[in-house]
Amino acid sequence: MLYGRDRERAELAALVVRARAGRAGVLVVLGEPGVGKSALVLDLVVWAQQAASAAEAARVLRTAGVESESPLPFTALHRLLRAVVDFERLPVPQAAALRVAFGLEDGLSAEPFLVGMATLSVLTDAAAEVGPVVCVVDDAQWLDAASADALLFAARQLDADPVVMVFAARYPDGDADAGAFRPQGLPVLELGGLDSGAARQLLDRPSGELPRQVADRLVRDTGGNPLALLELPTTLIAAQLSGAAPLPRQLTLTASVERAFLDRCRRLSEEVQTLLLVAAADNTGRVDTVRVAASRLGVSAGAWADVERSGLLNVTGDVVSVRHPLVRSAVYQAATSFERRRAHQALADALRDGDPDRATWHRAAAADGPDRELADALCQVGIRAEKRGGYVAAAAACERAAALTVNEPARAARLFAAARNAWASGQAVSARALSGSARELTSDGLLRADIDRLRARIEVNVGSASDAHRIFVHAVRTVADLDPGRALEMAAAAALTRTYGGDSGATIADDVRTRLLTATDSDTPRTRCLQLLLGALTASADGDWAQAVATLERALQAGRQVEDLDVLGNLGNTALNLGDDEAARWFYATMASSARESGAGMAVIYGLERLAFAQLVAGRWAALRGSVDEALTLARSVGQPGLTAAPLAWLTLLAALAGTDDYDHHLGQLEAVVTTHPLGILTDPVHDLTRWAKGTRSAADGDAGAALHHLGAMRLPALQRMAAVDRIGAAARAGERAVALGWVDELAPFAAATHRPWALAAVAFGRALTAETDEAAQAFEDALGHYRHAARPYDQARTQLAYGEYLRRTNRRVDARRHLRSALETFTDLGAQPLLARASQELRASGETSRKRDPSTVLQLTPMERTVAQLVSIGLSNKDAAAQCWVSPRTVAFHLRNVFAKVGVSSRGELAQLDFS
């Protein structure tokens, strides 16, 4: 029976009730050790299973984290899903990933995003088959990292699904984000101590009614912690419990309840204590394993009865468990290092044939010095874990193998493998330290180059872009004579890093660069593409825009024959830098699409964040919103707050452009992320997008000076050029003609050399705004002529608005109306309310009243609804669309019903006739 938890029980029960109505529910129950988390979720399990009728009963799936299992990937997830998984019902890529993750078959590395999607699919399929599903995950703080990632991904993606997921976890010092279990963004129920009334009830249950002063002291000193309330009275003598003798000056408080357990253990026989130690060191939970291991240490069968009677070890069927995590930690930590090693060796011997990976880990725990054979075996464990997508486990195995290795070159290679896997699992601090240690140990040029490439990538993503540039350049110098292919790849990465704000000042010697750029008959398409890419970036850095564009065109042609995601992304980045809107869109979209199909979620995020630039200038703002919404959802689904910065910056800019009320909300979220998380190479782009958003908002508010301040602070040349119309317009409206002319003069050489229509148009627009004579009209006409070939509708409409304003001011009202009407239509289609209002006012001032035009109902769709509509309209089934959207088929069906209602269609055929581009 639970005391004092009526509110919490009702909150959990409400989740199940909601699931019966077809809506998912997720809750993380957090609290200190012994506060009753496990008891609360067990109560939910019983309640869900014992519903008023069979129709209302829920299928309950349970698993738990086990501290000693952390090196073994997907063990907790396998326990949860094994009773309900049907591989035949899963999409083929998800089924394959899950089979590899569970060790059921060999294959390529299991992509974590695909395993997460498979987890979601298994849960929602089970719910569709048998009704509401309740997943309970206890001791989530000890989940192996691979299971934690998959379960949290599924939890964050649940929507219109009859599934409940409840996690119970403890955390040290109130840090809910510690360890592999990082539940950011999920609803949390903080479970505190019992109130005095409930605490008294719990105290009186086993002991009879205690004297008030004794009970009050126990309640006060335990803070109402249920476990402490149950255990501390067992440490007191009868006279103290009755009040006849004074209580100790210092009770054993909650943080030291482990000592109370340990005292009970020490009263038991030596055999029983040995059995408890083996059970504490075990990570299988199987009676046979513990029995065999304990017998090797001289434990007789009679000890099992004694330990069960003590209440410290529970045996249910073939499952054995230590009563409480505090018992496990107390017993294990109190043992000597020799006793612990003996227990691990016994477990290794017991598991040697049936579970070699676990056996190897126990052998590693039993080792007290270097062991070449064991280190080799542990490396193989790491390789298998990496192939299954268990990067945390692989990193741990390789790091432990390195510790058991004397030979320095081999040790360096193993530390590098640990660093690579730590980085793949998002452990940036550990990856940086491990890669640094590996580099110090090796003199091998090729290995050093690979280590430096990893170090630079870490800096690019979560550190200093200029440090990344320096590392890349140094690596090129080191490896150019040993492996030109590696050198070429890193030279291109260095050049691209420099382009986007990371310039350390380090340079590659001209002769080295020339060698890298020289084509040979043996070059692969990928190598040739990288050579051309490096050539384009080099010319760009030198300001030779004509050469850069010409070389880029050849690189883009070669790149269409390459499937490497990194190369696709780099081509998109270079196209963006050199103003090729369509190429940037194609390569980013192709990268995101290819990554989505393979389940490479991090690459999807990368592609979508950058695809947004091409979608912005092309006037595809609804599609842009969909891209950044997906990127934001994925970043949150993997618990990576730093990756949310770019999507949040885009949402802030969109809110400023559209004049919506959520601007302050998005800006607040963005600033919270930027101040607490490193952004790496995205630092300058995110800051520039923020400045662009603030400048746009200030301009809409009529504060020309503030608009100029924010837009003038933009740093990256590529983004300065992209925002040229806004920047020049802000300077002109603020009366800063010299500033506007300066920006025009900066852009003019780029425009003249590249012949980009949008750049030529922006230069002409700037000339028009800064003209002091009647030359303005001709400059406006020139700008609009270029915009007819530029496919930048927003900038074109901005120019039409400025031209209309100019014509009205010079009393050519009839001529003004044509341009103002066209601008008005574009702003309406885009939903750019601030400029729509300004264009409407200008049109009225010209003598014509603008006719209100209802925007397309397609524009009223949410980003997810729009994405679902697009996928379904091209013929995808709900199941296929769900895999593309990272949600369940039921959620797709939910959004599709909303789409039908909003756009006024009743069939997929009618939906296919609509334009969602």
Side-chain angles (χ1 to χ4, degrees):
M1 179 177 181
L2 290 182
Y3 296 99
R5 299 300 191 197
D6 290 346
R7 180 183 63 82
E8 292 86 352
R9 295 178 69 200
E11 186 170 345
L12 287 168
L15 294 178
V16 180
V17 172
R18 186 182 179 197
R20 289 172 182 150
R23 298 296 293 175
V26 178
L27 191 64
V28 180
V29 181
L30 294 177
E32 63 181 4
V35 80
K37 304 179 296 296
S38 297
L40 184 63
V41 296
L42 177 60
D43 179 78
L44 171 67
V45 168
V46 173
W47 182 85
Q49 291 175 325
Q50 298 176 350
S53 67
E56 293 183 349
R59 175 70 180 269
V60 175
L61 305 176
R62 299 175 66 183
T63 193
V66 178
E67 189 173 14
S68 56
E69 279 186 351
S70 57
L72 303 170
F74 298 112
T75 50
L77 183 67
H78 185 257
R79 277 196 300 272
L80 183 80
L81 300 184
R82 62 188 173 189
V84 293
V85 63
D86 182 349
F87 290 101
E88 299 303 319
R89 295 185 59 181
L90 293 174
V92 173
Q94 294 179 25
L98 200 59
R99 285 182 182 277
V100 172
F102 288 169
L104 300 177
E105 65 180 41
D106 293 329
L108 298 176
S109 177
E111 172 59 49
F113 276 83
L114 277 179
V115 178
M117 271 303 301
T119 301
L120 178 67
S121 295
V122 171
L123 296 178
T124 55
D125 283 352
E129 186 75 18
V130 302
V133 169
V134 176
C135 299
V136 172
V137 183
D138 203 1
D139 285 327
Q141 75 279 354
W142 285 325
L143 286 170
D144 64 273
S147 292
D149 289 344
L151 290 168
L152 288 171
F153 180 94
R156 292 184 175 108
Q157 298 305 96
L158 287 168
D159 189 357
D161 307 291
V163 178
V164 172
M165 296 187 74
V166 176
F167 300 87
R170 56 186 278 195
Y171 51 88
D173 302 323
D175 181 6
D177 297 334
F181 181 67
R182 298 184 292 271
Q184 301 100 319
L186 296 182
V188 169
L189 170 62
E190 295 275 359
L191 198 63
L194 300 176
D195 62 34
S196 58
R200 283 294 303 270
Q201 286 182 291
L202 186 61
L203 274 172
D204 291 343
R205 186 184 66 168
S207 309
E209 187 171 347
L210 297 176
R212 183 178 183 84
Q213 68 274 19
V214 174
D216 286 349
R217 172 78 185 281
L218 289 172
V219 172
R220 183 177 66 252
D221 285 9
T222 62
N225 183 284
L227 181 65
L229 288 168
L230 290 173
E231 293 301 325
L232 294 187
T234 68
T235 68
L236 304 176
I237 61 175
Q240 290 172 324
L241 288 173
S242 67
L247 294 175
R249 181 182 299 275
Q250 180 66 50
L251 288 175
T252 308
L253 300 180
T254 301
S256 304
V257 169
E258 287 173 288
R259 287 202 296 272
F261 284 122
L262 190 56
D263 288 342
R264 292 172 62 185
C265 295
R266 284 173 172 161
R267 299 191 200 112
L268 302 172
S269 70
E270 186 175 334
E271 276 192 53
V272 172
Q273 290 187 53
T274 299
L275 176 55
L276 276 171
L277 175 58
V278 172
D282 171 61
N283 55 17
T284 67
R286 295 197 295 264
V287 169
D288 286 348
T289 300
V290 176
R291 191 184 303 278
V292 171
S295 67
R296 290 174 179 270
L297 299 178
V299 174
S300 65
W304 283 86
D306 293 340
V307 79
E308 284 191 74
R309 277 193 292 269
S310 74
L312 296 175
L313 199 67
N314 298 322
V315 178
T316 306
D318 63 349
V319 176
V320 61
S321 61
V322 181
R323 177 190 168 186
H324 191 278
L326 293 178
V327 177
R328 179 187 294 273
S329 59
V331 170
Y332 191 82
Q333 296 302 325
T336 65
S337 60
F338 174 74
E339 290 169 334
R340 288 197 294 268
R341 288 198 301 274
R342 284 182 68 234
H344 282 294
Q345 186 59 56
L347 285 163
D349 293 340
L351 289 165
R352 189 179 304 277
D353 296 329
D355 197 337
D357 281 6
R358 287 182 193 266
T360 301
W361 269 111
H362 283 297
R363 287 174 60 203
D368 60 354
D371 186 322
R372 179 177 178 178
E373 180 187 351
L374 176 56
D376 291 344
L378 204 52
C379 270
Q380 292 303 310
V381 171
I383 291 170
R384 287 191 289 274
E386 183 175 4
K387 289 185 67 175
R388 293 168 60 190
Y391 300 120
V392 171
C398 293
E399 185 175 5
R400 179 63 176 144
L404 296 170
T405 302
V406 174
N407 179 270
E408 287 196 351
R411 190 177 180 191
R414 287 165 180 176
L415 284 171
F416 171 58
R420 185 183 66 243
N421 281 283
W423 174 242
S425 68
Q427 298 179 323
V429 174
S430 177
R432 185 182 274 132
L434 288 165
S435 59
S437 298
R439 194 177 192 282
E440 290 177 1
L441 287 173
T442 186
S443 58
D444 183 286
L446 295 179
L447 179 58
R448 275 203 164 193
D450 288 342
I451 293 171
D452 283 340
R453 177 167 50 192
L454 175 62
R455 292 173 61 227
R457 285 182 173 176
I458 294 171
E459 295 301 327
V460 161
N461 286 275
V462 297
S464 163
S466 61
D467 284 349
H469 178 265
R470 176 182 50 77
I471 294 171
F472 275 134
V473 171
H474 183 80
V476 171
R477 297 171 181 167
T478 301
V479 81
D481 293 330
L482 299 173
D483 188 332
R486 278 185 173 92
L488 174 62
E489 183 178 328
M490 285 186 278
L496 197 59
T497 303
R498 179 185 176 194
T499 298
Y500 284 93
D503 187 354
S504 66
T507 59
I508 300 171
D510 291 341
D511 63 320
V512 172
R513 182 182 287 105
T514 299
R515 276 191 287 133
L516 295 179
L517 290 172
T518 302
T520 67
D521 293 339
S522 61
D523 288 341
T524 64
R526 181 179 183 274
T527 298
R528 187 59 188 143
C529 180
L530 285 172
Q531 289 171 336
L532 292 167
L533 185 64
L534 177 58
L537 289 166
T538 302
S540 171
D542 294 338
D544 188 347
W545 302 115
Q547 180 63 35
V549 168
T551 308
L552 174 64
E553 286 298 324
R554 296 163 61 202
L556 296 176
Q557 291 175 13
R560 292 178 185 270
Q561 312 301 316
V562 177
E563 297 181 355
D564 186 299
L565 294 181
D566 284 343
V567 174
L568 292 176
N570 287 341
L571 287 167
N573 290 332
T574 308
L576 180 67
N577 180 59
L578 292 174
D580 190 333
D581 297 344
E582 178 54 29
R585 184 204 63 76
W586 191 90
F587 280 98
Y588 287 140
T590 301
M591 178 189 185
S593 177
S594 299
R596 192 183 286 108
E597 289 178 6
S598 64
M602 300 300 285
V604 173
I605 296 173
Y606 181 100
L608 291 176
E609 288 174 342
R610 291 157 177 81
L611 175 60
F613 286 105
Q615 291 170 327
L616 175 75
V617 296
R620 301 182 63 196
W621 291 4
L624 189 165
R625 189 177 298 277
S627 294
V628 299
D629 184 72
E630 181 182 357
L632 183 62
T633 298
L634 286 178
R636 287 172 172 166
S637 75
V638 294
Q640 294 285 347
L643 294 179
T644 67
L648 286 170
W650 278 115
L651 290 175
T652 305
L653 177 57
L654 281 173
L657 291 167
T660 53
D661 294 336
D662 53 359
Y663 171 84
D664 290 329
H665 171 70
H666 292 314
L667 181 60
Q669 287 188 313
L670 171 61
E671 290 178 340
V673 171
V674 168
T675 56
T676 54
H677 297 280
L679 307 181
I681 195 67
L682 285 178
T683 299
D684 280 343
V686 166
H687 286 313
D688 274 358
L689 286 174
T690 307
R691 294 169 182 132
W692 196 348
K694 289 180 176 179
T696 301
R697 183 59 173 246
S698 296
D701 291 341
D703 191 342
L708 177 59
H709 168 75
H710 293 304
L711 292 166
M714 294 178 69
R715 293 185 55 188
L716 289 178
L719 267 68
Q720 289 175 345
R721 293 191 288 268
M722 189 176 294
V725 170
D726 283 356
R727 283 160 50 86
I728 295 168
R733 290 180 73 83
E736 295 289 344
R737 181 174 178 273
V739 173
L741 277 172
W743 288 341
V744 172
D745 291 340
E746 285 179 8
L747 181 59
F750 176 90
T754 64
H755 302 290
R756 302 291 189 210
W758 64 263
L760 294 168
V763 169
F765 171 80
R767 301 290 185 212
L769 291 188
T770 55
E772 294 181 326
T773 65
D774 290 341
E775 295 174 355
Q778 185 57 54
F780 275 123
E781 291 289 349
D782 291 343
L784 293 176
H786 290 303
Y787 273 127
R788 280 194 285 273
H789 308 285
R792 287 198 176 191
Y794 177 72
D795 285 352
Q796 181 174 348
R798 289 291 309 272
T799 304
Q800 290 169 326
L801 173 58
Y803 192 15
E805 290 172 330
Y806 168 80
L807 291 171
R808 184 189 64 78
R809 288 195 305 270
T810 55
N811 294 317
R812 285 174 275 183
R813 296 185 176 185
V814 174
D815 293 335
R817 292 170 194 162
R818 174 168 60 91
H819 298 292
L820 293 172
R821 280 196 299 268
S822 183
L824 190 67
E825 288 183 7
T826 299
F827 295 143
T828 300
D829 289 340
L830 293 175
Q833 292 299 321
L835 291 181
L836 174 61
R838 186 170 138 196
S840 297
Q841 182 179 349
E842 281 294 325
L843 193 56
R844 285 194 298 273
S846 74
E848 180 178 314
T849 302
S850 61
R851 294 186 299 275
K852 283 193 174 181
R853 181 167 65 86
D854 289 336
S856 168
T857 53
V858 171
L859 297 178
Q860 299 171 19
L861 301 179
T862 67
M864 178 58 80
E865 289 167 353
R866 182 185 182 86
T867 301
V868 166
Q870 286 178 308
L871 294 173
V872 171
S873 68
I874 62 174
L876 267 63
S877 67
N878 285 8
K879 192 170 187 177
D880 291 337
Q884 292 278 307
C885 296
W886 314 93
V887 296
S888 70
R890 187 183 177 102
T891 296
V892 167
F894 171 79
H895 288 299
L896 191 57
R897 287 195 295 272
N898 289 341
V899 170
F900 282 1
K902 287 184 178 181
V903 303
V905 300
S906 57
S907 71
R908 292 171 181 255
E910 291 180 81
L911 197 65
Q913 304 305 312
L914 300 179
D915 181 12
F916 294 99
S917 61

